[in-house]
């Protein structure tokens, strides 16, 4: 394991040139700026994607790009602090980053996402890039999430959703414990309306606390164990994609 991640923003042009010649792989963390209950900050999705990406960069020697702080957060748009991009713009930013890094020799771009609503944007951006560029792009969102949660979390998800719950709170306790206020953590499982997913009724309308699940059961230990599992799979995916790039 290497000591320091190669963080693009802290490097000179010469250091970047050297890093790309050495291992032409870059990691782009994708986050969001949106509410995560009363016990977590708005930047959870950024901090998680970035924290995991930094560890992946340390393990592999890939270049760590600056994190995208905004995603598509329409459902929370009326809650103070939310900053949302239009969905197609998230795709556009991913594509622009890919075109940029490809120009100076990056052969594999790894998208590491911390925000569920970015998944659609990643998938379509990567498909379009396949036709437009000679660059391999893979997109990762908490690989094998269901199994990892089954092993390490005690509380059920709210209809498969992970938001400000035992899962995300545990990851935050592992990566940025100073930002978590467990005294304010709650358990909330709102009733799911018939028209949820079939209308504009969305997450922002349902949970009073903004939590979906049981944040009170979160621990640092669970977070660390899950992050290790994610990293093992992510490292394997990165190396396999690099081999075939
Ligand atoms: Zn989140």
């Amino acid at each position: 394991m290497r000591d320091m991640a190669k963080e693009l923003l802290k490097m000179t042009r010469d250091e970047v040139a050297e890093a790309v010649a050495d291992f032409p792989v870059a990691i782009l963390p994708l986050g969001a700026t949106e509410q995560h209950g009363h016990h977590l900050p708005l930047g959870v999705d950024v901090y998680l994607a970035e924290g995991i990406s930094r560890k992946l960069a340390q393990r592999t020697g890939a270049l760590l790009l600056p994190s995208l702080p905004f995603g598509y957060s329409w459902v929370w748009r009326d809650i103070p602090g939310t900053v949302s991009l239009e969905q197609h713009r998230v795709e556009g930013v991913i594509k622009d980053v890919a075109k940029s890094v490809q120009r100076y020799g990056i052969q594999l771009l790894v998208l590491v996402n911390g925000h569920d609503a970015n998944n659609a944007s990643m998938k379509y951006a990567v498909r379009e890039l396949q036709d437009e560029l000679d660059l391999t792009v893979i997109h990762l969102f908490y690989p094998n999430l269901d199994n990892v949660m089954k092993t390490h979390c005690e509380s059920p998800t709210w209809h498969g959703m992970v938001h400000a719950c035992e899962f995300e709170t545990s990851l935050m306790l592992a990566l940025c414990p100073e930002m978590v206020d467990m005294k304010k953590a709650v358990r909330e499982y709102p009733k799911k309306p018939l028209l949820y997913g079939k209308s504009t009724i969305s997450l922002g309308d349902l949970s009073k606390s903004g939590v979906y699940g049981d944040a009170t059961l979160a621990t640092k230990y669970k977070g660390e164990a899950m992050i290790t599992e994610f990293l093992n799979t992510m490292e394997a995916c990165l190396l396999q994609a690099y081999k075939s790039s």
Side-chain angles (χ1 to χ4, degrees), residues 34-37 39-40 45 76 115 161-169 203 210-213:
E34 61 176 38
Q35 81 81 30
H36 278 78
H39 68 298
L40 293 170
D45 296 347
W76 309 113
H115 175 55
M161 176 68 51
V162 286
H163 192 80
C165 51
E166 181 184 2
F167 172 75
E168 277 195 330
T169 307
L203 295 182
V211 169
Y212 282 82

Side-chain angles (χ1 to χ4, degrees), residues 98-115:
K99 287 172 190 168
S100 301
V101 299
Q102 191 246 2
R103 295 193 68 83
Y104 47 84
I106 291 292
Q107 288 169 24
L108 168 65
L109 176 64
V110 179
L111 308 176
V112 172
N113 182 25
H115 175 55

Side-chain angles (χ1 to χ4, degrees), residues 180-219:
V180 184
D181 185 352
M182 283 305 285
K183 289 192 297 293
K184 293 186 177 163
V186 299
R187 174 186 199 278
E188 187 171 352
Y189 286 89
K191 217 169 156 280
K192 186 178 172 187
L194 178 64
L195 288 178
Y196 179 80
K198 305 171 184 68
S199 68
T200 55
I201 294 176
S202 61
L203 295 182
D205 305 318
L206 303 179
S207 168
K208 269 205 240 53
S209 63
V211 169
Y212 282 82
D214 191 348
T216 67
L217 294 173
T219 69

Side-chain angles (χ1 to χ4, degrees), residues 44-159:
V44 164
D45 296 347
V46 182
Y47 295 125
L48 296 184
E50 188 169 307
I52 290 171
S53 294
R54 183 172 290 110
K55 288 177 186 291
L56 185 61
Q58 283 169 334
R59 280 189 182 209
T60 59
L63 202 56
L64 179 63
L65 301 175
S67 307
L68 179 60
F70 307 126
Y72 177 65
S73 298
W74 184 88
V75 300
W76 309 113
R77 66 201 185 286
D78 295 325
I79 294 177
T82 307
V83 179
S84 181
L85 297 182
E86 288 183 25
Q87 198 274 337
H88 70 276
R89 281 202 242 282
V90 180
E91 264 184 67
V93 172
I94 292 169
K95 291 182 67 177
D96 287 347
V97 170
K99 287 172 190 168
S100 301
V101 299
Q102 191 246 2
R103 295 193 68 83
Y104 47 84
I106 291 292
Q107 288 169 24
L108 168 65
L109 176 64
V110 179
L111 308 176
V112 172
N113 182 25
H115 175 55
D116 189 48
N118 289 337
N119 284 329
S121 310
M122 291 201 300
K123 177 171 144 186
Y124 298 126
V126 169
R127 286 180 179 182
E128 286 172 25
L129 285 165
Q130 159 78 28
D131 294 341
E132 294 169 23
L133 290 184
D134 183 19
L135 170 75
T136 304
V137 189
I138 59 170
H139 51 98
L140 304 174
F141 177 69
Y142 301 130
N144 308 326
L145 178 60
D146 290 351
N147 281 335
V148 170
M149 278 197 300
K150 242 179 241 155
T151 309
H152 299 282
C153 291
E154 295 169 75
S155 58
T157 63
W158 184 85
H159 303 285

